[in-house]
Amino acid sequence: MKSSKTNDHPLRKSLIDWYDAEKRDLPWRRTKDPWLILLSEVILQQTQVSRGVEYWEKISDRFPNPRALAKVDQEELLTLWQGAGYYARARRLHALAVQVSKPAIEGGFDGTIPGSIEQLLELPGIGAYTAAAVGSIAFDLHIGVVDGNVRRVASRQTGNSNPTHDLVSIWANSMLIPGRPGDSNQAMMDLGAVICKPKTPKCELCPISDSCEGKENPLAYPAATKRKKSIENLDAAVLLDPSGRPRLSRRDSSERFGGMWGPPMSDIATDSLTLVGEVVHHLTHRELRVKVWSGQCSKGTDPSTVPISNLDRKILKIAGVM
Ligand code: SF4
């Protein structure tokens, strides 16, 4: 990676001054409570900020600390998580709450979130990015976060179209203001989300444009990596009882949408069923194409009483249930 003027203190200061003036008003930025900050980071792993606020508010309201979550069944969290997708996050968050709620002599943390990167990384669902975000924001640990947004800004700032993870990490650490690592990281997150956007960077508004080696042609950085979505063909059987309620079962935790409820999607004999349509559902690296079949059963479940994923909602809707 080329040398850059971003190590100069005035540039880091420009970034933090911009953040202090322009930062997004997000509810988890009004607290230093590690649990509430961790909750926001888990939600934001795969949910946009605008929708994440709604989920964070209802989940933090219902579960204001790890113990409150640890003592209920996982399904209660999944019900609140409906519609946010990537339900493995919710299952792992529940496992995390159970783990940290154990007494210290049993390997837990007496109901608190631990304050070192090593301990955070041992918790279910916590990877390097989330550990660095929680560690810096809640515990003031001097460690830069690295994700796709930070990589893009680093690539443009340094004119390196394909920086390695280690180089981005060194650059992110160089941008931390001593004493304010959490705010520095959040400033970088905001810059990537609001100013240095993937397709429409607003260089004229960028607080660190002076040091940017890629601003003449920002879309060239980082180099595009083409990844084609794989297609998976599936069948779903919506079997209705005499009252019009579908047969639903809880998906095993080892399956996709584990812990959520839905109609049968495996071992389906379609001979006696009627094809009613097809649902296309996009996951990050996969496109699901689900043929929806309709038939009858003796006893169904009221869908409003169980947590159901967005895909299963679409399937039930096409079969005329929701
Ligand atoms: S000047 Fe433009 S390309 Fe460079 S970091 Fe700022 S927004 Fe991104």
Side-chain angles (χ1 to χ4, degrees):
M1 191 172 275
K2 295 178 194 174
S3 66
S4 158
K5 289 186 284 182
T6 42
N7 284 336
D8 295 347
H9 182 78
L11 288 161
R12 292 188 307 216
K13 188 168 182 314
S14 296
L15 182 61
I16 207 82
D17 285 349
W18 169 81
Y19 176 73
D20 287 340
E22 304 286 340
K23 68 181 170 190
R24 292 176 290 178
D25 181 26
L26 301 170
W28 48 83
R29 288 182 172 172
R30 298 177 211 133
T31 179
K32 281 289 268 188
D33 183 321
W35 166 248
L36 299 179
I37 290 165
L38 183 145
L39 185 57
S40 74
E41 292 298 333
V42 171
I43 291 171
L44 295 180
Q45 283 169 359
Q46 271 132 339
T47 301
Q48 288 180 343
V49 170
S50 53
R51 296 185 62 228
V53 170
E54 174 199 333
Y55 284 95
W56 183 87
E57 283 177 339
K58 64 183 178 184
I59 293 170
S60 63
D61 195 45
R62 173 68 187 83
F63 305 115
N65 53 62
R67 284 201 167 113
L69 176 56
K71 67 185 180 197
V72 304
D73 189 84
Q74 184 191 89
E75 194 162 306
E76 201 168 326
L77 176 62
L78 285 168
T79 299
L80 291 178
W81 205 276
Q82 284 182 98
Y86 298 95
Y87 300 97
R89 287 179 296 167
R91 296 198 303 274
R92 288 194 288 253
L93 182 66
H94 185 265
L96 180 154
V98 170
Q99 187 171 325
V100 301
S101 296
K102 287 180 186 167
I105 52 167
E106 290 176 24
F109 295 96
D110 296 319
T112 62
I113 301 299
S116 80
I117 293 296
E118 293 73 24
Q119 290 168 322
L120 285 165
L121 282 170
E122 284 179 13
L123 300 177
I126 303 299
Y129 176 87
T130 307
V134 174
S136 63
I137 298 168
F139 299 106
D140 294 325
L141 301 181
H142 195 87
I143 179 167
V145 295
V146 175
D147 69 351
N149 279 332
V150 177
R151 182 172 185 270
R152 181 174 63 256
V153 179
S155 171
R156 290 172 175 174
Q157 278 282 318
T158 60
N160 181 335
S161 61
N162 192 20
T164 64
H165 183 278
D166 284 351
L167 284 174
V168 177
S169 180
I170 291 167
W171 182 83
N173 282 328
S174 78
M175 292 297 289
L176 298 176
I177 291 268
R180 295 187 65 187
D183 285 345
S184 302
N185 278 328
Q186 292 183 95
M188 191 60 72
M189 294 173 194
D190 278 15
L191 187 80
V194 178
I195 301 289
C196 195
K197 303 197 326 184
K199 292 186 179 149
T200 53
K202 300 175 182 169
C203 300
E204 68 283 4
L205 300 177
C206 179
I208 54 174
S209 63
D210 284 355
S211 62
C212 187
E213 303 205 18
K215 66 185 171 200
E216 298 307 323
N217 188 14
L219 299 192
Y221 302 95
T225 51
K226 282 200 177 137
R227 188 164 177 177
K228 211 173 165 202
K229 277 195 179 186
S230 61
I231 293 173
E232 187 174 340
N233 292 301
L234 300 162
D235 292 285
V238 181
L239 308 175
L240 303 176
D241 72 9
S243 334
R245 292 179 308 187
R247 177 185 290 169
L248 302 173
S249 57
R250 186 176 176 172
R251 302 203 189 286
D252 189 84
S253 60
S254 61
E255 293 176 57
R256 185 182 289 137
F257 307 125
M260 306 296 280
W261 290 61
M265 288 183 74
S266 58
D267 299 327
I268 296 169
T270 56
D271 312 1
S272 58
L273 304 177
T274 307
L275 183 64
V276 294
E278 186 181 58
V279 165
V280 177
H281 189 73
H282 293 276
L283 301 175
T284 308
H285 301 301
R286 194 168 288 239
E287 178 179 305
L288 306 181
R289 293 183 183 172
V290 188
K291 281 199 180 104
V292 182
W293 303 82
S294 172
Q296 296 174 342
C297 69
S298 54
K299 190 168 185 319
T301 299
D302 179 351
S304 68
T305 61
V306 291
I308 296 176
S309 72
N310 276 349
L311 171 61
D312 287 310
R313 282 178 186 280
K314 287 190 215 169
I315 290 169
L316 294 175
K317 192 172 176 189
I318 215 166
V321 176
M322 299 187 88

